[in-house]
Amino acid sequence: MSDDIFPPYRQPDWYPLQRVLASVFGVVAIDATGAFWFIGFVPGPVDVGELRLYEHSETRRRLALDSTGGAYRWLDGVGRYVRVDDEDALVEALV
């Protein structure tokens, strides 16, 4: 069996999640990072590059962020991720 069917391991990138939590809810909210799982990397918009996917451990809702903490949402109708308001995306993931 060939090992090349599995993507190479990459370290989780927690910085975008920490950054958006701090910018929306304040620095003390960085501790809320522990309530999320890092799912992995996915292709984002061409002008942005890859996104990081996080999933909240209780709500099971996902949050897609770019490398600087900008939030994105997958839209089935257009078949791609689109930029959304950071606070709205965080609240949606947490509730």
Side-chain angles (χ1 to χ4, degrees):
M1 179 179 227
S2 174
D3 288 336
D4 61 1
I5 62 169
F6 300 105
Y9 174 77
R10 293 175 62 187
Q11 289 284 339
D13 185 3
W14 294 105
Y15 175 74
L17 180 59
Q18 293 169 338
R19 183 171 178 167
V20 75
L21 284 167
S23 72
V24 172
F25 299 118
V27 176
V28 295
I30 291 174
D31 291 341
T33 303
F36 287 85
W37 296 316
F38 183 79
I39 302 299
F41 298 91
V42 295
V46 175
D47 60 332
V48 175
E50 65 185 1
L51 302 176
R52 289 96 177 116
L53 281 183
Y54 307 91
E55 184 174 307
H56 191 269
S57 60
E58 289 186 31
T59 66
R60 305 285 194 210
R61 293 180 186 247
R62 291 192 175 182
L63 178 65
L65 301 174
D66 63 23
S67 63
T68 62
Y72 292 79
R73 180 175 294 128
W74 177 261
L75 293 181
D76 283 329
V78 294
R80 64 184 172 95
Y81 284 96
V82 296
R83 183 76 166 90
V84 294
D85 180 75
D86 297 343
E87 185 173 352
D88 291 345
L90 273 172
V91 169
E92 185 177 299
L94 295 169
V95 179

